[in-house]
Every structure is written in structure tokens, then in C-alpha cells.
Amino acid sequence: MVKKKSRLSFGSIRQWHWISSAICLAAMLMFSVTGITLNHAADIPADVKINTLEFAMPEQLLDELQNLQQGPLPTVIVKWLAEEKSLYIKAANKVEWNEDELYLSLPEPGGDAWMSIDRYSGDVVYERTTRGVVAYLNDLHKGRNTGKSWMWFIDIFAIACVVFCLTGFVLLYRYAGARPTTWPMVGLGVLLPVIVVILFVHP
């Protein structure tokens, strides 16, 4: 009876281990590769592209701006920008309201953008800068300008990695008797970063 219970427990740990490894696989590869690209960011040339648009809004839309001094961009203007200019403004994007113009900062992973709207003439200037795929993936690694959904994904991924590591440790423990090098290798994995920090990382 005890032996059967042990097998069920082992099977459960093994199942948790392979499920968490399957969940972590793609994201762990991405985070590992971008860890290298972030560490050598100065050596990797950025593929910078700048796109600028200048246009005027219809006069009827300007009436929406005349009596406002704060808050998000009016919905009717957001809809017009999306339908006519393929510019998608999120409700979370803050608007700086000045006497003569509006200014929106539109950060994104791997780039930045901004937009200014003249409150009287309706002239709009939009500029978007992108820095290539590597910069985009680096910002995903850092969670820079990625929104709440990606931040939730990072948290869930981190939990899956913890499960993967802890179940892996349990499996190491259970197989250690037949593999004498198990604990020396685990000890090396613990000591190596500590030694590097002590010897080479200084304030």
C-alpha cells in the first residue's frame, strides 16, 4: 500500500514537471535569447525607422475639443483616426491638454510614437519610431510598454518556471541515489553565480 502511494506521488510530480516545462518552453527560449541580446544591446545595431504623417481633421471634429480641458481624447475623434488614418489610440493613452494643442505620448514595445493636434486649425502631426525586431523582443523581456495582459503573462510564466524548477529538484532528489554527481552539479549551479558576484560584480 505504501509503495502504491509512493508511485502515485512520483507520477504526480513528474506530470507537473513535464506540463510546466511544456508551458515554459517557447517563452523560456525567448527570454533566454533576449537575455543575451539585452546583455549585448550596445553591440547590436538598431533598425531604426521613422514614419511621419501630417494631415488635418474635419472641422466638425474640432468642436469636440473646444470645451475640453482634460481627460482622454473624445471617442468620435478616436474612431475617426482609426477608420480614416489607421491610427489606433487607446483609452489608457494620456492626453496633455494645452491652450493651443493636444499632445499624446504613444509608447510601444520596440519603439515610440507621439501625436499633436492643433485645437484651432485641426492640423495633426503623428510620428512613429520603430527600432526593429530585436528591440521589440527586448522590450517584451523587460515588460516595457506592453500593457497589463503581457504583465499577467509574465507573472503566470514565472509561476510555471517556479513549478518547473521545484518539481525538477524533487526529481533530482529521488534519482540522486543512482546518480552520484547530482548534488555536486546542483551545488555548482548555486555557487557559480555567487562566486561571479563576489569576485567580479562591484558597486
Side-chain angles (χ1 to χ4, degrees):
M1 186 69 179
V2 174
K3 188 175 181 180
K4 184 177 180 181
K5 184 177 179 181
S6 176
R7 286 180 178 177
L8 287 174
S9 176
F10 177 78
S12 177
I13 291 294
R14 185 169 57 186
Q15 187 174 38
W16 276 101
H17 186 67
W18 78 257
I19 289 175
S20 61
S21 67
I23 292 173
C24 293
L25 177 62
M28 189 174 291
L29 282 172
M30 188 275 285
F31 276 93
S32 298
V33 172
T34 51
I36 297 173
T37 57
L38 278 170
N39 204 35
H40 298 276
D43 303 319
I44 301 174
D47 182 18
V48 179
K49 295 181 181 179
I50 300 176
N51 181 37
T52 302
L53 296 176
E54 295 184 17
F55 54 90
M57 290 194 310
E59 291 185 8
Q60 60 267 29
L61 293 181
L62 291 179
D63 295 337
E64 300 289 333
L65 302 178
Q66 300 310 312
N67 298 321
L68 295 176
Q69 299 296 330
Q70 61 182 355
L73 206 59
T75 303
V76 64
I77 295 178
V78 172
K79 184 177 179 180
W80 183 84
L81 288 170
E83 293 178 350
E84 300 297 328
K85 302 297 179 181
S86 297
L87 299 177
Y88 301 97
I89 308 301
K90 298 178 181 178
N93 292 129
K94 294 183 179 179
V95 181
E96 295 181 18
W97 295 80
N98 299 315
E99 183 178 350
D100 299 324
E101 70 172 6
L102 310 179
Y103 179 84
L104 293 86
S105 178
L106 307 169
E108 61 183 72
D112 294 286
W114 59 269
M115 176 187 293
S116 67
I117 304 174
D118 190 296
R119 300 185 67 170
Y120 299 100
S121 69
D123 291 336
V124 180
V125 179
Y126 170 83
E127 183 176 284
R128 180 174 182 242
T129 302
T130 58
R131 299 180 178 85
V133 175
V134 173
Y136 180 82
L137 294 175
N138 284 348
D139 282 350
L140 289 183
H141 183 111
K142 295 183 289 184
R144 176 181 178 270
N145 302 323
T146 53
K148 291 184 178 180
S149 296
W150 183 255
M151 297 301 291
W152 272 104
F153 170 78
I154 291 178
D155 288 343
I156 294 171
F157 166 69
I159 293 171
C161 286
V162 170
V163 173
F164 174 68
C165 291
L166 292 179
T167 53
F169 181 81
V170 172
L171 292 176
L172 284 173
Y173 175 79
R174 294 190 173 184
Y175 279 113
R179 298 173 180 174
T181 58
T182 296
W183 297 123
M185 294 299 293
V186 172
L188 178 63
V190 173
L191 288 176
L192 187 58
V194 174
I195 293 172
V196 172
V197 168
I198 293 175
L199 297 181
F200 302 107
V201 179
H202 305 285

